Amino acid sequence: MNPRPPPAVATLLEVRELAFARRDEPVFGPLDFDLESGEIGLVEGDNGSGKTTLLRILAGLLHASSGTVRVDGLAAGDPAAAGTALLLGHQLGLKADLSVRENLATAAGLYGRRERCGLDDTLVEVGLEGYADVPVRQLSAGQKKRAALARLRLLPARLWLLDEPFANLDRAGIALVNRLLDVQVASGGAALVTTHGAVSFRDQATRRIALS
Amino acid sequence: MSAPSARTGYVTILRRDLLLAWRRRGEAAFPVLYALIVATLFPFALGPEGALLARIAAGVVLVTVLLAMLLALDGLFRPDVEDGSLEQLLLAPQPLGLLLAAKILAHWLTTALPLLLASPLLAAMLHLPVAVLPVLLVALALATPLMSLLGALVVALTVGTRRSGMLLALMLLPLMVPVVIFAAGAVSAAQQGLPFIAPLAWLGAALVLALVLAPAACAAALRIALDA
Amino acid sequence: MNVHSSPTLWNRLVLWYHQMGSPPYFYAFAGRWRPWFIAATLITAAIGLYGGLLLAPPDYQQGDAYRIIFIHVPCAWMSLFTYAFMAGCGLVGLVWRVKLAEILAMEAAPIGAAFTFVTLVTGSLWGKPMWGAWWTWDARLTSELVLLFLYLGVIGLYHAFEDTRQGARAAAFLALIGVVNLPIVHYSVVWWNTLHQGTTVQLFGPSRITWSMLWPLLTMALSTHLYLGWSLLGRARVALLELEGGKDWARAIALKEASRG
């Protein structure tokens, strides 16, 4: 069983004249860029430059002030496009009272996946072997991040929106993120990654988007 | 990507929320305890005279149960907003209304059901005639899901704010007035030996309507309240 | 559709709608019209009160006590009218994300709450001689009380948000829920009233009103509408300046005001 769609070059993300203003103060924009399957986009900018905001707009959680976003040809926030994009934010979306396994089973259930399929292998892959039944509240910050990264591996999303995926991770963790990105790209997906530049990001990025 | 069935998402969220409630099962007792305390205070305030208490018993139980539910309402979405899991619900390839319906059902099962089970005790403390108790229970069984659904709608609007407490009560009161009127009206009609089916039927109709509309409205409210 | 039979009028309306959506245009428009609104308010109020308090005959049952209806009834009408206006603007703001509609909806809320409050106070003042009590759970008064809570909920929700526009949209949604809820509240309160106390004294029977009472009442109703216009335009102007404080047109106005004062 192949968990991912076959690679085919397609424009997964199409951003046109996208601008955002909070209380009429411009935050960023207008931005124009595309992201095709097999590409990794790097969003660079200082603190407060609107990186998180940009990802939330692309995910369809937030309305832009102007401009358009199309995810896989559909407007962001369109119910038909739901599930195409996966957002990994600062808040990892993990329930502290549930175990790693229960958290991932919930995430898989939301995407209509069988919870058992590949869960143990995935945990080995993200370096959480033996932690499956540990409540998330007992994990370290880096381990929580790894648990959230396991979601990327389990869910069938073609577009990843990763907000500071390297934060809280050690050297091995950074390598893990890079490995996950490689797999995503190889299977015809795409990813948009934000970083404030503190972590040296391996030269995978095929596109750079700078927020001033 | 195979289209995930909507039922899987519904069951997943229902199971997750019940599991979470089970991990913190001590907290389920708080609303019941609150209702018990309030019901105990009434005889102290009004005197222990049985006839007077019997006359107000149904109304006191109803209002107490609804207030206890109000206390628990803030916990419906706030933890999910704080740990980011609500975002995951919004982005999942599932109808958001259905996922919210699962959350609301779980919330009803963990907060209102214990209150419903405790209400015969409250009614007995206030000398409600035993013959009327079934009517009160039916009224509560219809009014509490309505409270959960309407409460979820209102609490969804406040998730973007830092605290809601008093505001929640203020926003919910106008919505609850008809529910209280019909639920208490049914019991008081039964107590006077009058027909009580009509108000219960109205409540039932309102519940059906709320079951259909409230989750979708709740989804719209959440999207508005999180759009920042 | 009626609209297509007169395209020029329709086009002008559309143009006007779009112009009104532009904050500087609205700001200037509101500034131009406000004096006219307050002048018309005062004139109609003077005529209405003169007609109501001096010209209209005393009621054969209530004597002069009934004259409070010249305040009470227009305010009660306005409490509902303002709510409908707020919900309508809220709907436009929610669907088309028009900033000005959001502002108008949110600035109408305190005015509507004030009308509701005046209705409740005058109703209770009137109730004292009529029922011998300051408050009666009369169906209309009770519905007005619930309406006041609705208004306060909308205002409270609006201010609970840090982001004004987000707060306006959430509160507009609450106002729309209230539109559905208000008739239900009213009919359930009427039902509750008949269940518990039979018929109460009717505050205002339409049959008993004569022309000499009706025209001052209608004049007062006109006056309260004009007052709403005056108050709303002023509040919206201030809110608009606050929201658009960083923009050039708002800065230009601030500089002009500073040099004048």
Side-chain angles (χ1 to χ4, degrees):
Chain A
M1 191 186 120
N2 182 10
R4 281 166 199 280
V9 176
T11 306
L12 278 178
L13 188 61
E14 197 182 304
V15 174
R16 292 287 172 272
E17 295 182 14
L18 187 73
F20 184 77
R22 180 165 277 134
R23 309 188 104 248
D24 283 315
E25 301 276 340
V27 176
F28 62 72
L31 289 176
D32 281 276
F33 63 90
D34 286 340
L35 205 61
E36 281 165 12
S37 58
E39 277 193 312
I40 293 176
L42 184 61
V43 183
E44 292 169 306
D46 301 331
N47 294 332
S49 60
K51 299 187 295 290
T52 301
T53 305
L54 174 63
L55 290 200
R56 291 176 64 84
I57 291 173
L58 298 181
L61 290 172
L62 195 57
H63 270 89
S65 306
S66 62
T68 56
V69 176
R70 299 187 83 77
V71 177
D72 209 9
L74 295 163
D78 187 323
T84 309
L86 195 67
L87 177 71
L88 177 70
H90 288 286
Q91 294 154 329
L92 300 171
L94 298 171
K95 282 286 171 197
D97 285 330
L98 299 184
S99 70
V100 174
R101 186 191 302 278
E102 286 158 347
N103 266 300
L104 292 177
T106 302
L110 280 177
Y111 283 73
R113 293 253 141 182
R114 292 270 302 281
E115 48 205 80
R116 307 223 182 285
C117 99
L119 192 129
D120 290 310
D121 293 343
T122 308
L123 286 183
V124 173
E125 194 181 341
V126 299
L128 285 177
E129 195 178 2
Y131 287 93
D133 296 309
V134 176
V136 165
R137 80 164 63 256
Q138 291 172 13
L139 300 182
S140 73
Q143 286 171 324
K144 283 179 190 161
K145 189 78 169 214
R146 284 164 183 262
L149 288 171
R151 199 164 53 213
L152 295 179
R153 199 70 190 78
L154 282 174
L155 304 183
R158 298 181 65 200
L159 176 64
W160 289 357
L161 303 169
L162 310 183
D163 197 4
E164 303 280 1
F166 300 104
N168 289 329
L169 286 178
D170 53 17
R171 203 176 291 271
I174 292 167
L176 166 66
V177 175
N178 285 332
R179 217 161 47 237
L180 288 175
L181 284 171
D182 282 341
V183 175
Q184 168 78 347
V185 165
S187 62
L192 200 63
V193 180
T194 69
T195 168
H196 53 274
V199 178
S200 61
F201 184 44
R202 218 181 63 186
D203 201 24
Q204 280 170 310
T206 49
R207 229 171 258 265
R208 283 166 190 272
I209 298 120
L211 299 178
S212 54
Chain B
M1 189 173 72
S2 62
S5 85
R7 208 176 132 259
T8 327
Y10 181 85
V11 172
T12 300
I13 291 303
L14 184 62
R15 194 188 305 160
R16 185 200 73 173
D17 276 17
L18 290 177
L19 194 59
L20 277 171
W22 177 248
R23 293 277 149 85
R24 301 181 155 265
R25 50 193 172 276
E27 287 178 12
F30 290 154
V32 174
L33 207 59
Y34 171 85
L36 212 58
I37 290 166
V38 173
T40 311
L41 284 176
F42 269 90
F44 288 124
L46 298 168
E49 188 199 331
L52 172 67
L53 290 178
R55 227 174 80 70
I56 59 161
V60 170
V61 172
L62 181 70
V63 171
T64 305
V65 165
L66 294 185
L67 286 182
M69 285 185 73
L70 178 68
L71 282 186
L73 212 50
D74 199 40
L76 181 53
F77 294 127
R78 196 161 293 272
D80 282 10
V81 172
E82 280 164 4
D83 64 21
S85 36
L86 196 63
E87 274 171 13
Q88 302 295 333
L89 291 196
L90 260 67
L91 295 177
Q94 304 271 353
L96 182 59
L98 207 62
L99 300 180
L100 296 178
K103 279 195 73 67
I104 296 167
L105 175 60
H107 194 257
W108 184 84
L109 287 172
T110 51
T111 60
L113 197 59
L115 283 165
L116 209 59
L117 295 177
S119 57
L121 177 66
L122 304 181
M125 283 166 69
L126 296 168
H127 298 278
L128 186 82
V130 179
V132 189
L133 186 61
V135 182
L136 175 67
L137 287 179
V138 171
L140 279 174
L142 293 169
T144 50
L146 264 170
M147 173 79 175
S148 286
L149 287 161
L150 297 174
L153 181 52
V154 168
V155 86
L157 283 172
T158 65
V159 293
T161 65
R162 254 192 261 109
R163 58 202 158 71
S164 48
M166 194 53 221
L167 183 60
L168 210 54
L170 185 63
M171 290 161 69
L172 200 51
L173 177 118
L175 289 170
M176 290 316 289
V177 166
V179 178
V180 170
I181 285 178
F182 283 114
V187 185
S188 95
Q191 235 168 327
Q192 294 167 36
L194 299 170
F196 53 82
I197 295 296
L200 289 181
W202 280 111
L203 273 183
L207 178 57
V208 170
L209 208 63
L211 273 173
V212 175
L213 296 178
C218 192
L222 265 186
R223 289 195 194 277
I224 291 170
L226 287 179
D227 186 357
Chain C
M1 247 166 84
N2 217 352
V3 169
H4 294 296
S5 61
S6 55
T8 48
L9 178 66
W10 176 245
N11 287 347
R12 281 175 66 183
L13 271 176
V14 169
L15 180 67
W16 187 72
Y17 173 81
H18 283 292
Q19 279 178 335
M20 280 311 206
S22 139
Y25 184 89
F26 177 84
Y27 186 88
F29 168 88
R32 248 189 343 269
W33 280 90
R34 276 194 88 213
W36 296 101
F37 270 100
I38 188 61
T41 304
L42 293 175
I43 291 167
T44 46
I47 296 171
L49 286 177
Y50 181 73
L53 300 186
L54 298 171
L55 297 184
D59 186 81
Y60 80 101
Q61 262 186 330
Q62 304 180 27
D64 282 330
Y66 87 96
R67 290 186 198 275
I68 203 163
I69 66 162
F70 294 110
I71 305 287
H72 176 78
V73 173
C75 281
W77 286 342
M78 286 311 289
S79 66
L80 287 173
F81 177 82
T82 311
Y83 196 91
F85 177 84
M86 173 176 79
C89 284
L91 183 67
V92 172
L94 272 179
V95 175
W96 290 286
R97 301 178 82 85
V98 181
K99 189 187 287 179
L100 189 69
E102 290 166 9
I103 287 178
L104 285 177
M106 288 307 110
E107 295 307 322
I111 308 172
F115 277 127
T116 315
F117 184 70
V118 171
T119 308
L120 286 171
V121 168
T122 51
S124 110
L125 283 177
W126 191 14
K128 184 64 180 161
M130 292 296 303
W131 299 312
W134 291 113
W135 181 260
T136 300
W137 292 96
D138 160 79
R140 283 173 200 228
L141 272 183
T142 310
S143 301
E144 278 288 319
L145 184 63
V146 174
L147 181 64
L148 182 63
F149 283 125
L150 263 176
Y151 272 123
L152 294 181
V154 168
I155 297 169
L157 185 61
Y158 174 52
H159 289 289
F161 281 86
E162 264 169 60
D163 184 329
T164 323
R165 291 200 62 187
Q166 193 198 0
R169 279 197 295 274
F173 195 88
L174 182 65
L176 287 175
I177 297 172
V179 170
V180 180
N181 186 47
L182 206 57
I184 302 175
V185 168
H186 186 75
Y187 287 110
S188 54
V189 168
V190 168
W191 180 81
W192 167 72
N193 235 312
T194 52
L195 183 77
H196 285 277
Q197 48 185 173
T199 50
T200 50
V201 182
Q202 278 284 310
L203 275 187
F204 170 55
S207 57
R208 211 168 288 298
I209 224 144
T210 66
W211 175 244
S212 58
M213 292 177 187
L214 188 60
W215 75 258
L217 197 59
L218 292 177
T219 316
M220 285 305 290
L222 179 63
S223 177
T224 47
H225 278 85
L226 291 165
Y227 172 81
L228 172 69
W230 174 73
S231 181
L232 192 61
L233 289 179
R235 296 183 63 94
R237 255 163 71 101
V238 174
L240 210 51
L241 268 193
E242 234 170 79
L243 200 63
E244 301 254 295
K247 298 231 169 129
D248 290 342
W249 71 268
R251 257 189 217 136
I253 285 168
L255 287 176
K256 209 170 82 185
E257 294 287 325
S259 66
R260 194 195 293 168

